[in-house]
Amino acid sequence: MPTDDSPTTLRTTATSIAILKQLEAIDGARVSEIAERMDKPKSTIHGHLATLKQEQFVIKEGDFYFIGPELLRLGNQVRTREPAFVLARQFTERLFEETRLRSIFTVEMGGKAVFLHTASGSKMGWSHEQLGNRLFLHNTAVGKAILAELPEPRIEQIIDRWGLPRETENTTTDREALFEELERVREQGYAVNRAENFNELYAIGVAATRRSGDVIGGFSVTGPAHSVTGEDRKAELAHTVRDIVSEFELELALA
């Protein structure tokens, strides 16, 4: 019988995780569709889904399987496990109210930027801004703002793990150039994303830290070029985001 850490057990776990990712990507599917996408027998996929359904990681409606409520419960624990993460929600909403631009609160987990809170009013959110999404740090405003507050060995560790992949023609892919930009971020107090991970989307991000200097996460606003660029507009938005972050840090310190 395989032990908990045997190759068979690991492959089984990996298959279940892959199934959940498929369901998330296509928003529900039949057994046959998942089997085809993963190039595995339908009987194998059905067995995994039966177990996942029993634990409410998936639900079944007719012939279709969908992501289940247990994942929502577990995911919400990430957003509420620290008082700072809970407090960040209201400041994310305030940031949107003051700028009328899509606003997010992001934390660094495993060397990537993970979206914990978003606010966009009645505007339709972009797919990359969904809660729980993970983006690279080197080509996002909030990611660069967070990187600028991390110790250099940690930055090097993140780059070594994920590299500096190019996602648009504006992405910085040179390590030395990135470190130079992070120094500018420290000097000016905010970071800018100039369509570096998605074409036409610009953003301004500011990191939030504790009194100890440890990074909590970061806030940012995102919009098309015309709503973010221009020296006066950029300065105005940077000032607003910094003010929101300062208030967030103060309230957290007094809590």
Side-chain angles (χ1 to χ4, degrees):
M1 180 176 294
T3 60
D4 287 345
D5 58 352
S6 70
T8 299
T9 302
L10 293 175
R11 287 196 300 271
T12 299
T13 303
T15 299
S16 293
I17 292 172
I19 289 171
L20 292 173
K21 288 183 176 180
Q22 288 288 340
L23 290 176
E24 188 274 334
I26 57 180
D27 193 22
R30 294 185 176 93
V31 173
S32 58
E33 185 176 2
I34 301 172
E36 181 178 352
R37 282 172 168 264
M38 295 180 60
D39 193 25
K40 290 184 178 293
K42 288 193 291 185
S43 59
T44 298
I45 300 301
H46 186 272
H48 283 272
L49 285 169
T51 301
L52 291 169
K53 179 174 178 290
Q54 181 177 339
E55 300 299 326
Q56 293 193 310
F57 286 104
V58 303
I59 59 173
K60 185 179 182 184
E61 296 181 5
D63 293 333
F64 284 81
Y65 288 86
F66 298 88
I67 293 294
E70 182 63 11
L71 288 173
L72 177 63
R73 185 186 70 81
L74 293 175
N76 194 54
Q77 287 188 357
V78 177
R79 300 171 68 195
T80 59
R81 75 184 188 196
E82 290 193 30
F85 296 171
V86 177
L87 181 64
R89 179 175 182 175
Q90 70 184 68
F91 281 87
T92 306
E93 293 170 351
R94 279 184 54 188
L95 186 56
F96 169 73
E97 291 169 1
E98 294 193 25
T99 64
R100 309 313 295 178
L101 293 174
R102 290 174 175 83
S103 303
I104 64 168
F105 173 74
T106 301
V107 297
E108 180 266 315
M109 292 184 180
K112 283 194 172 183
V114 180
F115 287 56
L116 289 194
H117 300 296
T118 67
S120 58
S122 60
K123 297 179 180 179
M124 182 178 295
W126 289 304
S127 60
H128 73 280
E129 291 183 335
Q130 300 304 309
L131 297 179
N133 277 9
R134 299 192 304 160
L135 301 182
F136 293 111
L137 295 172
H138 74 287
N139 61 355
T140 58
V142 69
K144 287 186 286 187
I146 290 173
L147 280 175
E149 296 295 330
L150 295 177
E152 186 168 325
R154 175 58 179 154
I155 301 174
E156 294 280 7
Q157 184 182 48
I158 291 171
I159 296 174
D160 289 342
R161 178 176 183 182
W162 297 109
L164 300 173
R166 182 183 299 280
E167 295 192 287
T168 75
E169 62 181 13
N170 297 324
T171 304
T172 297
T173 59
D174 179 78
R175 188 180 295 232
E176 184 176 345
L178 176 63
F179 274 96
E180 289 176 357
E181 182 172 5
L182 295 181
E183 185 58 36
R184 290 194 296 272
V185 171
R186 297 183 191 101
E187 292 173 357
Q188 64 192 17
Y190 64 92
V192 180
N193 171 5
R194 302 172 179 84
E196 296 165 43
N197 62 329
F198 288 92
N199 288 320
E200 308 301 329
L201 290 185
Y202 285 63
I204 292 176
V206 176
T209 60
R210 304 181 193 277
R211 282 182 172 176
S212 62
D214 293 338
V215 182
I216 302 167
F219 293 84
S220 71
V221 291
T222 306
H226 68 82
S227 66
V228 178
T229 57
E231 287 306 311
D232 290 344
R233 177 59 171 163
K234 184 174 68 174
E236 174 191 356
L237 288 173
H239 179 76
T240 300
V241 181
R242 284 199 305 253
D243 279 354
I244 287 289
V245 170
S246 294
E247 291 183 37
F248 167 74
E249 292 172 338
L250 178 60
E251 186 160 337
L252 185 64
L254 295 176

